[in-house]
Amino acid sequence: MRTTYCGQVTKEYDGQEITLVGWVNRRRDLGGVIFLDLRDREGIVQVVFDPDKADVFETANSLRNEFCVKVVGRVRLRPDSQINSDMTTGEIELLGLDLEILNRAKPLPLDLNQINSEEQRLKYRYLDLRRPEMTQRMVFRSKVTSFVRRYMDKHAFMDVETPMLTKATPEGARDFMVPSRVNKGKFYALPQSPQLFKQLLMMSGMDRYYQIVKCFRDEDLRADRQPEFTQIDIETSFMSAEEVMQITETMIRDLFVDLLNVDLGEFPQMTFAEAMRLYGSDKPDLRNPMQLIDVADLLKDVEFKVFSGPANDENGRVAILSVPGGAKLSRKNLDEYTKFVGIYGAKGLAWMKVNDRDAGMEGVQSPVLKFLNEDVVTALLERSNAQSGDLILFGADDYRVVCEAMGALRLKVGEDLDLCQGQWKPLWVIDFPMFEEADGQLHAMHHPFTAPVAGVSAEQLIEAPANVLSNAYDMVLNGCELGGGSVRIHRQDMQSAAFKVLGISDEEAQEKFGFLLDALQYGAPPHAGLAFGLDRLVMLMTGASSIRDVMAFPKTTTASCPLTNAPSAANSAALEELALEVKAIQEQE
């Protein structure tokens, strides 16, 4: 039906008669000549209709936005004065010779040239996706997946599908449950990831596996979360952590060069402990130059208990953030930051403005200055390397609270004062603790199948689990976790020890993971892997603010779909077949 795409018509087509199809982006009637911007997924081209062909001109005059049309025309070069350098097709235009309306459009429920509410955009997603910005994101996403497939194929990875209807496994979120009609009263779980199946594929001798796969997690949503999302899932046999990191880092670096012409360079590595110490986060944004600075040793003997208490507590932390140019912030700004850190459990936020660095005690301003002597203030200024016009912010509390509150504050202040440097800052975070404590119980930092670092025995894991580091690694870009992975446990004794530390009894382990424990006894090879969040990767690369803007049909923050009105009630016949009954839900007042 078409000769080429609208966005691909260039001066090489000069003089040729071609056929284009697409949607009316805009129609203008200028002095008896009609100009039409015709749009398809590849871009926009200008079509000109002269009144010489009366029937064609009359049809062109009836066009409205989003009419679907077919145009036959002759390509001609624009005069130099009319070249539009902002368009790929800006050097040419199409003289319209024939025009057919393939389908008319009613007045649109969306204004495609203005900002619409997200509810409107998702309800009429098929129209929203026609917007050039959205179309190009979908095109870009397709290019990313195409690149990944080529790269994986080139490096001998096999594309293997894993089941969607499976058994619930502990992945850190609630499962979506699917009732079985054949096995009444029993349920499948939609996979939170293909974790166990990709490990079983390694035990099956597949050696190198990848899959671009849907995953499902029934959890509260935010900008970078959806109930269903897509992973670039990778697993390998007989590869060390360093080898997995190398091959996946090369893939991401090559991807950025290929699609964005950006060289990310070598990715630096940072331990989890160092990341928490310097940035209060296990996914630090290195574009922000500010770092947390520990000062507990300077404040142990001050009279101010807010500082001295955590400074003398082995589970406490006192850290400062030196903000370049921050002294210009108003009291209102500082009060807002105090409220902000309260979200993360901080009880307050002390501050010190450095008005004149050379004046020492006389040159600083702070509501807590009366609790600090000159030696302490001098030491704080030296350690922070604060200069005149800078601001020092204090965090003093439980170690985790200080990390979370000051880490988040670092990002907010850096954004507010435009302190970030550079466009892309990748890194690897390694040496995570194998377990973390919550509610008095140990939980796997990544998942229960992550192996400890080399040299740790099953006995040592059971004896001192809180001291064991895992052989895990996260790829971080601009403060976002692009992907996470680890070396997996490939011996039954170690896997049983990990379950024991997590409080999973032998009976429960056999019930939930018997198939995995059995497989580990039949020559399971050493294996490791990594999974990238495809939606998050595309979001970062396209500059979108939410993964919803790089997914074709996402859900809202209430996990609903305005387009299809999903989820919806099931009819009684379907429920009866499944041996289910819906309990009445009372409306909350």
Side-chain angles (χ1 to χ4, degrees):
M1 184 175 280
R2 62 158 67 94
T3 304
T4 187
Y5 284 98
C6 295
Q8 295 176 348
V9 184
T10 60
K11 62 183 180 180
E12 281 72 28
Y13 283 85
D14 182 31
Q16 297 183 34
E17 185 174 305
I18 63 174
T19 303
L20 302 177
V21 291
W23 288 268
V24 175
N25 194 66
R26 185 170 61 148
R27 183 188 67 84
R28 292 161 290 155
D29 189 341
L30 302 178
V33 178
I34 293 175
F35 289 86
L36 180 71
D37 288 344
L38 187 64
R39 185 192 73 243
D40 60 19
R41 75 173 202 193
E42 296 298 324
I44 296 175
V45 68
Q46 178 173 283
V47 185
V48 181
F49 293 98
D50 290 330
D52 296 345
K53 300 196 66 160
D55 55 338
V56 175
F57 189 83
E58 183 179 352
T59 302
N61 195 43
S62 69
L63 296 179
R64 297 294 180 268
N65 285 1
E66 298 309 307
F67 274 30
C68 185
V69 300
K70 174 182 176 182
V71 177
V72 178
R74 181 173 294 107
V75 179
R76 65 186 186 189
L77 299 178
R78 294 192 195 189
D80 291 345
S81 61
Q82 297 179 17
I83 290 176
N84 185 346
S85 57
D86 294 330
M87 295 174 60
T88 306
T89 61
E91 293 181 294
I92 60 91
E93 63 186 10
L94 192 69
L95 176 62
L97 304 176
D98 194 17
L99 172 63
E100 179 184 354
I101 298 176
L102 301 175
N103 208 341
R104 297 175 182 273
K106 293 170 58 178
L108 300 178
L110 290 183
D111 186 338
L112 298 186
N113 297 313
Q114 299 294 331
I115 297 175
N116 301 279
S117 71
E118 185 172 69
E119 187 78 14
Q120 286 177 299
R121 290 178 57 202
L122 296 185
K123 182 175 178 61
Y124 300 99
R125 189 62 162 181
Y126 46 87
L127 295 178
D128 186 50
L129 288 174
R130 287 187 196 171
R131 292 191 298 123
E133 180 183 33
M134 293 300 296
T135 300
Q136 289 310 305
R137 286 173 181 164
M138 294 299 107
V139 170
F140 190 91
R141 182 183 176 116
S142 178
K143 290 179 178 178
V144 170
T145 56
S146 178
F147 179 93
V148 169
R149 293 186 191 282
R150 292 196 306 271
Y151 184 90
M152 290 284 102
D153 292 344
K154 180 181 176 181
H155 290 83
F157 283 81
M158 297 171 56
D159 184 356
V160 184
E161 295 180 354
T162 52
M164 287 290 108
L165 297 175
T166 182
K167 188 170 183 170
T169 58
E171 300 281 349
R174 297 183 188 90
D175 290 304
F176 280 102
M177 308 303 294
V178 181
S180 170
R181 179 186 60 82
V182 177
N183 301 286
K184 289 182 171 57
K186 296 185 177 180
F187 295 80
Y188 301 101
L190 298 181
Q192 295 186 36
S193 82
Q195 183 62 47
L196 294 182
F197 285 105
K198 64 184 179 183
Q199 288 189 241
L200 290 170
L201 286 171
M202 296 304 99
M203 299 171 197
S204 306
M206 297 299 102
D207 195 67
R208 294 189 181 193
Y209 142 95
Y210 85 97
Q211 187 182 186
I212 298 177
V213 59
K214 280 287 186 186
C215 302
F216 306 86
R217 296 186 181 181
D218 187 6
E219 58 186 351
D220 295 334
L221 306 186
R222 60 188 185 200
D224 58 349
R225 280 185 180 170
Q226 281 281 294
E228 52 181 321
F229 57 95
T230 307
Q231 280 187 184
I232 303 171
D233 207 44
I234 300 168
E235 197 77 8
T236 67
S237 296
F238 310 111
M239 267 195 185
S240 65
E242 291 73 20
E243 289 170 320
V244 172
M245 291 164 68
Q246 180 183 24
I247 200 168
T248 52
E249 176 182 324
T250 302
M251 181 181 77
I252 295 299
R253 290 174 57 193
D254 289 354
L255 174 68
F256 270 71
V257 169
D258 189 72
L259 297 187
L260 297 181
N261 195 29
V262 169
D263 184 1
L264 295 175
E266 296 286 340
F267 291 14
Q269 294 187 16
M270 182 182 299
T271 65
F272 171 86
E274 185 180 10
M276 298 304 291
R277 179 176 63 83
L278 295 178
Y279 304 104
S281 170
D282 61 359
K283 46 181 184 293
D285 188 346
L286 300 186
R287 295 174 302 168
N288 185 328
M290 292 187 293
Q291 296 181 345
L292 302 185
I293 303 167
D294 285 303
V295 293
D297 59 312
L298 304 179
L299 300 169
K300 285 185 176 182
D301 299 324
V302 300
E303 296 179 14
F304 195 38
K305 297 298 183 184
V306 171
F307 287 168
S308 60
N312 288 282
D313 185 347
E314 62 179 8
N315 296 316
R317 184 180 187 188
V318 185
I320 59 174
L321 197 62
S322 181
V323 183
K328 64 185 177 185
L329 292 171
S330 68
R331 184 59 184 264
K332 180 182 177 182
N333 295 140
L334 296 172
D335 288 343
E336 288 174 352
Y337 288 146
T338 301
K339 291 180 181 178
F340 177 78
V341 296
I343 298 171
Y344 300 89
K347 301 177 184 68
L349 180 68
W351 52 268
M352 180 184 292
K353 290 186 176 182
V354 184
N355 298 319
D356 184 353
R357 174 69 170 83
D358 296 330
M361 192 84 164
E362 299 298 320
V364 299
Q365 172 191 356
S366 172
V368 299
L369 193 60
K370 59 187 176 183
F371 301 110
L372 310 177
N373 60 43
E374 187 168 358
D375 289 341
V376 170
V377 171
T378 300
L380 287 170
L381 293 175
E382 288 179 355
R383 186 167 297 183
S384 65
N385 195 29
Q387 304 300 312
S388 297
D390 291 353
L391 171 72
I392 298 175
L393 298 171
F394 294 79
D397 209 307
D398 173 80
Y399 187 87
R400 176 174 291 186
V401 170
V402 171
C403 287
E404 292 181 357
M406 297 300 285
L409 182 63
R410 169 182 170 269
L411 297 178
K412 180 168 179 56
V413 173
E415 183 178 348
D416 290 349
L417 299 184
D418 196 23
L419 298 176
C420 292
Q421 302 169 356
Q423 185 177 9
W424 304 105
K425 292 287 186 177
L427 79 153
W428 286 103
V429 178
I430 60 173
D431 291 345
F432 288 82
M434 192 160 175
F435 304 100
E436 60 183 342
E437 185 177 341
D439 303 322
Q441 187 175 347
L442 290 177
H443 301 269
M445 176 79 74
H446 278 74
H447 54 63
F449 317 108
T450 300
V453 291
V456 175
S457 67
E459 291 76 17
Q460 290 172 318
L461 183 64
I462 293 173
E463 289 173 5
N467 299 328
V468 176
L469 298 178
S470 65
N471 202 348
Y473 35 85
D474 283 359
M475 183 187 290
V476 177
L477 179 64
N478 292 2
C480 289
E481 180 191 327
L482 275 191
S486 67
V487 173
R488 322 302 188 186
I489 296 172
H490 73 284
R491 297 174 61 94
Q492 191 199 44
D493 61 337
M494 184 66 77
Q495 188 63 73
S496 296
F499 286 157
K500 187 172 183 178
V501 169
L502 294 169
I504 300 174
S505 66
D506 292 342
E507 294 75 16
E508 185 182 0
Q510 191 61 40
E511 178 187 350
K512 291 184 175 180
F513 311 108
F515 59 94
L516 176 69
L517 294 172
D518 289 345
L520 291 173
Q521 300 180 79
Y522 296 102
H527 54 286
L530 184 145
F532 289 102
L534 174 64
D535 312 298
R536 195 173 300 173
L537 173 63
V538 177
M539 178 185 76
L540 286 173
M541 295 183 75
T542 59
S545 59
S546 165
I547 62 171
R548 291 192 291 276
D549 284 336
V550 297
M551 302 172 77
F553 299 103
K555 305 292 190 293
T556 66
T557 52
T558 58
S560 61
C561 174
L563 174 65
T564 62
N565 289 323
S568 57
N571 62 52
S572 56
L575 291 173
E576 186 176 350
E577 273 196 311
L578 296 167
L580 293 177
E581 182 179 350
V582 176
K583 189 176 181 180
I585 301 174
Q586 293 184 348
E587 292 283 341
Q588 292 187 355
E589 295 183 2

